[in-house]
Amino acid sequence: MTDRYAEILVVDLLGGLGDLLMLLPSIHGLARRHPTARLRVLTHDPGAELLRVDPAVAEVRTPRHGRPGAERAAVVEALAARRPDLAVTTTRYDGIPELLLASGARCVTDLWRRPPPDEPVGARYLRLLHAEGLLTRADLPARVSVHLPASARVAGEESVGRLVDPSRRPAAGPVVLVTDVGMAVKRWPERSWRALAGRLAALGHPVLTVGADDAPPGVPLPRGDLPTLAGQFAAVARRGGAVVGPDTGPLRLAAGAGAATVGLFGPTDARRYGVGGADLQGLPGCPYRRATAITEQPCWWGACCPLDPTGPACMTDLDVNLVTAVVRAATRQASLVWRAPDG
């Protein structure tokens, strides 16, 4: 690693919080291996909220509007503002790789090339950047770790403390249910959520929810920005708790904040998109699932399952009894490192 870069630009405009979090270990790795560089990230809100408080990132930029062409325009603006010496992008649409290449910077423009079906996306990014000589072997095991400023930790601790007594060790660790997800094809049935919440509550677990509707199966966590939500997840982790949810950004955020996670995977392959905790795969033998080409699955955009007209068969296949048992095991493991919050 003899190259020295004064300006590094990382472009992640895939749109989802989860996409950004899968790239975060690579962002941190680039900052760590090139400590004299000024590292900028171009991404979308709300994920940008997390990077604005991250000391590894010198500047965060976002598109100015949501109309067609906004992402390409944002790349043009970022290049005009400061020419990078190194540009790395996960984004392949709208001629964005060509814009970066035309800047004269050294570029890594295809972090999606030839992925094996059983390698996690984040690990694949790290491996390709290592192959490019931009990271070392010591970076390859890195996992998502979200920077939490003191204010976010305090806000998270206060909000969870109002719902789960912070002065004593609970009979069973709190469990946060992430019931909402942006894509219908990833949703676990509402009846399953309610059954899980009822069973966990009967076993002594305080049941909390994130992103729920007006009648959630638990006590909603107070809404706030993403650093505050990460602080809430960290507070749950300190109480020996766990976070349960489908393949969605908040579940990855929980893992990045140090919480035990139970992932409910259906249309996405847990081997490739798993969060790294206890990742459960619904309907493992689905003939329509494509681990490395999920957007080409017939169910992806409209949640029209070829196997079940009532909804995604892979999500329905995730049994409440199994999920309950795995959550219980996750909280028992997490409780081994429980400690009373500071103060």
Side-chain angles (χ1 to χ4, degrees):
M1 295 180 59
T2 58
D3 291 327
R4 294 291 181 266
Y5 302 105
E7 290 283 335
I8 299 176
L9 175 63
V10 177
V11 179
D12 180 76
L13 294 169
L14 299 177
L17 170 61
D19 296 309
L20 177 62
L21 289 170
M22 286 190 288
L23 183 63
L24 190 57
S26 293
I27 293 172
H28 286 160
L30 289 170
R32 185 167 53 249
R33 298 306 168 193
H34 306 277
T36 62
R38 185 175 185 273
L39 191 149
R40 296 182 294 156
V41 179
L42 173 56
T43 190
H44 285 108
D45 283 319
E49 296 174 353
L50 295 171
L51 298 186
R52 292 190 180 104
V53 298
D54 193 324
V57 180
E59 181 186 0
V60 183
R61 303 178 71 98
T62 58
R64 292 182 180 272
H65 56 81
R67 299 187 297 276
E71 287 81 5
R72 180 182 174 88
V75 173
V76 170
E77 289 182 5
L79 293 174
R82 301 180 77 99
R83 178 191 170 279
D85 304 304
L86 170 66
V88 175
T89 182
T90 60
T91 309
R92 299 283 299 164
Y93 61 80
D94 212 8
I96 287 173
E98 289 73 21
L99 284 175
L100 297 174
L101 288 165
S103 73
R106 180 186 174 185
C107 295
V108 180
T109 62
D110 190 1
L111 290 175
W112 295 97
R113 61 182 181 265
R114 299 183 301 279
D118 57 352
E119 185 175 32
V121 172
R124 179 68 176 170
Y125 291 161
L126 291 167
R127 193 150 70 89
L128 290 176
L129 291 172
H130 171 252
E132 294 279 350
L134 298 172
L135 300 179
T136 71
R137 291 188 63 84
D139 298 305
L140 296 180
R143 299 179 68 175
V144 177
S145 180
V146 174
H147 175 74
L148 282 179
S151 58
R153 289 191 180 274
V154 170
E157 188 59 53
E158 289 178 347
S159 60
V160 172
R162 288 192 291 269
L163 305 176
V164 180
D165 187 349
S167 65
R168 64 181 180 85
R169 183 171 182 160
V175 178
V176 181
L177 310 181
V178 181
T179 59
D180 194 20
V181 64
M183 298 189 70
V185 71
K186 296 181 181 180
R187 288 180 187 148
W188 203 34
E190 182 181 352
R191 64 181 181 278
S192 298
W193 281 120
R194 295 195 176 279
L196 176 65
R199 294 181 189 188
L200 292 173
L203 292 166
H205 295 273
V207 179
L208 312 174
T209 59
V210 168
D213 56 20
D214 293 335
V219 179
L221 283 169
R223 293 184 180 273
D225 59 14
L226 285 183
T228 298
L229 179 58
Q232 292 170 340
F233 288 144
V236 167
R238 286 194 292 273
R239 289 167 172 78
V243 181
V244 188
D247 179 8
T248 188
L251 187 71
R252 298 184 188 280
L253 181 63
T261 60
V262 177
L264 308 179
F265 287 81
T268 50
D269 194 316
R271 297 174 303 167
R272 183 154 167 75
Y273 290 91
V275 176
D279 296 322
L280 304 178
Q281 182 74 66
L283 207 65
C286 175
Y288 297 97
R289 185 182 294 113
R290 302 189 64 181
T292 62
I294 55 177
T295 62
E296 297 176 19
Q297 295 172 182
C299 62
W300 187 251
W301 299 110
C304 296
C305 178
L307 302 177
D308 187 346
T310 65
C314 52
M315 297 304 293
T316 304
D317 185 57
L318 290 162
D319 180 68
V320 174
N321 292 327
L322 172 62
V323 176
T324 302
V326 173
V327 171
R328 291 279 285 168
T331 57
R332 282 194 294 269
Q333 180 66 30
S335 70
L336 297 177
V337 295
W338 181 95
R339 64 179 178 82
D342 295 339

